[in-house]
Amino acid sequence: MQTQELERMARQIRRRDLQAVFEAGAGHIGGEMSAIDILTALYFRVLRIYPDQPKHPGRDRFVLSKGHTACALYITLAKRGFLPEDEISTFLKPGSRLNGHPNCNKVPGVETNTGPLGHGLPVAVGMAKAAKLSGADYRTFVMTGDGEMQEGSNWEAIMAAAQFGLDNLTLVVDHNRFQQGAALADTNDIAPLRPKLEAFGWEVTEINGNAMAEVVTALEYRGARPHCVVAHTNKGHGISFMQDRVDWHHKVPNKEQYEIALAELSEAL
C-alpha cells in the first residue's frame, strides 16, 4: 500500500477499535490509538507475511510487547486476512480467543504471548538471534510502550542485541508520554530515549509516529546495527477528548462519547 491507502486503512482500524472497546466495555483505547499507524504500516507495507500460512518459516516476526493493546493488533490481523473480521465482535467475551492480551496458541499471526511488560523485547532478541544462527533472512520487529521501557529486562535485551550485532532487529517505542495512572515524566522519566539507545550501540531514528510517511520510511530502514525507532505519538490519537489524557489509558467511552469519537474518526474517511 502507498501512504494514502495506509492512512485510510489506519482510520478504518481506529473506527473498528473504538467500536470493539465500546461494545466490550473494556480495553486500552488510548495506547491503541497511538500505535495504530505503526501497526498499519507494518502489516500492510513492511512485513513479509503469509496470512494463509501464519507459521511460514520465512515470515518476518512482529512482537507486540505492549500486549494490553491487543485489540488493535486483532483488528489489524483481521484486516490483513489472518482471522475473520466478524470475529472482532467477540473481543473479551466468554469463550473468545480474542483475550485482553494476545495468545500465540489461539490467534493466528500472534508470535508470542505478551502482557507482563518487559518480556516482548527479550523474546524478539531471541528471534533475531535465532535467524542469525540458522542463516534465515527474516526480520524481527517489536513494539514497546515508553512506560514499559522502565523495565530493566528491556535494557538487558538492548545490551544483548548490540553484542550479537542484530542488524535484523527493529525496536519501535510508542512514545506517547503517558502510562497507566500518570505521565511518563511524573513516574520514572527515561526520556530522552535516543542518547540512551545510542550509548548502548544502537542506531536510532526519531519520528512523528502518527505521520504515515515518516513511519514507513523508518520501518523500512535497515542498517548495520540494531535499529530503534522512537515514535513520538499521541495517546488517544484522532479523538479530540482522548488525546494526551492519562485517564484514557483504559477508560471506556460512554454512548455520547462514542458517537462523538465515531464522528471525528469518520470525518477524514
Side-chain angles (χ1 to χ4, degrees):
M1 283 188 178
Q2 299 305 308
T3 301
Q4 287 187 331
E5 295 173 293
L6 291 168
E7 290 171 343
R8 190 177 304 113
M9 177 60 70
R11 289 192 293 270
Q12 292 175 10
I13 293 171
R14 281 192 170 91
R15 279 169 52 88
R16 189 64 187 91
D17 189 276
L18 169 70
Q19 180 186 358
V21 171
F22 173 70
E23 292 177 348
H28 290 81
I29 194 167
E32 287 165 359
M33 293 295 155
S34 65
I36 282 172
D37 295 303
I38 298 160
L39 291 173
T40 303
L42 282 167
Y43 279 90
F44 291 90
R45 173 69 179 258
V46 177
L47 293 175
R48 181 178 65 191
I49 47 178
Y50 309 87
D52 58 338
Q53 301 178 65
K55 296 296 185 182
H56 190 291
R59 72 192 184 282
D60 289 336
R61 274 68 165 169
F62 171 70
V63 174
L64 181 67
S65 191
K66 44 178 282 182
H68 52 284
T69 57
C71 187
L73 176 61
Y74 298 149
I75 295 166
T76 305
L77 289 171
K79 292 283 188 184
R80 193 62 176 82
F82 283 88
L83 60 149
E85 287 196 52
D86 58 8
E87 189 176 350
I88 300 301
S89 63
T90 71
F91 176 59
L92 295 182
K93 291 184 178 178
S96 173
R97 60 180 177 171
L98 305 184
N99 299 323
H101 294 91
N103 187 328
C104 66
N105 297 308
K106 296 182 177 181
V107 184
V110 173
E111 291 291 346
T112 189
N113 295 15
T114 53
L117 298 177
H119 288 191
L121 178 54
V123 171
V125 168
M127 291 175 173
K129 178 62 173 174
K132 290 290 188 182
L133 291 171
S134 64
D137 67 350
Y138 66 80
R139 297 176 66 190
T140 299
F141 296 80
V142 54
M143 187 195 299
T144 68
D146 50 4
E148 179 182 4
M149 292 300 291
Q150 296 161 352
E151 298 282 356
S153 53
N154 284 322
W155 296 95
E156 294 179 39
I158 286 166
M159 284 189 286
Q163 173 70 27
F164 297 141
L166 301 182
D167 60 351
N168 56 350
L169 175 67
T170 298
L171 161 65
V172 183
V173 181
D174 182 13
H175 194 6
N176 62 30
R177 294 165 282 111
F178 292 92
Q179 59 195 103
Q180 180 173 318
L184 186 74
D186 297 329
T187 309
N188 181 7
D189 193 3
I190 57 169
L193 285 161
R194 181 173 196 150
K196 296 176 177 64
L197 270 293
E198 288 178 338
F200 277 75
W202 284 52
E203 290 189 69
V204 182
T205 304
E206 290 195 74
I207 62 167
N208 177 347
N210 296 131
M212 189 61 73
E214 293 187 35
V215 172
V216 169
T217 299
L219 292 176
E220 289 184 335
Y221 173 79
R222 183 163 180 178
R225 292 180 289 165
H227 182 217
C228 176
V229 178
V230 179
H232 295 274
T233 62
N234 299 307
K235 196 127 184 168
H237 183 79
I239 302 172
S240 59
F241 61 86
M242 290 187 190
Q243 187 159 311
D244 297 336
R245 292 284 303 275
V246 67
D247 51 331
W248 285 102
H249 180 81
H250 50 43
K251 188 176 177 180
V252 177
N254 58 33
K255 179 65 172 175
E256 180 182 1
Q257 291 168 328
Y258 171 72
E259 296 294 345
I260 293 170
L262 195 62
E264 290 184 356
L265 292 174
S266 300
E267 286 176 359
L269 288 174

